[in-house]
Amino acid sequence: MFAAFVLPVLFSIGGGLYGYFRFAERRPMLLLNLMLIFLLGAYAQHAQPSEGLFSLLLLDGAFLFFLLVHHLQSSAPKANPAG
């Protein structure tokens, strides 16, 4: 299972960082998608435990935790008054 989840989880971390800081108005949906990828990895860890997948999920969980905390502490994006 580790080999099947390495690239998707690493891509979600890289793409998540890019999307999080580039598109502030889409943050809630991006965070939801990142959580779903994390939950899919957690299910894979439950179905077929491995040490590598567990460490990868720890990295992804810490990344997701910091993005969620940053999102909750930041102010809501302001609407464009020009339309």
Side-chain angles (χ1 to χ4, degrees), residues 6-74:
V6 170
L7 290 177
V9 170
L10 291 178
F11 179 77
S12 75
I13 291 173
L17 275 174
Y18 175 76
Y20 184 82
F21 290 112
R22 178 83 168 111
F23 307 108
E25 67 278 355
R26 298 182 193 169
R27 282 182 185 170
M29 289 303 294
L30 175 73
L31 290 171
L32 179 63
N33 287 324
L34 292 175
M35 280 190 275
L36 291 175
I37 292 171
F38 178 76
L39 289 175
L40 185 63
Y43 175 74
Q45 172 66 20
H46 175 72
Q48 194 173 20
S50 75
E51 195 173 307
L53 183 58
F54 183 72
S55 61
L56 186 65
L57 287 174
L58 280 177
L59 175 70
D60 190 35
F63 162 74
L64 187 59
F65 173 76
F66 287 116
L67 284 185
L68 285 169
V69 167
H70 183 268
H71 176 67
L72 291 174
Q73 289 179 348
S74 66

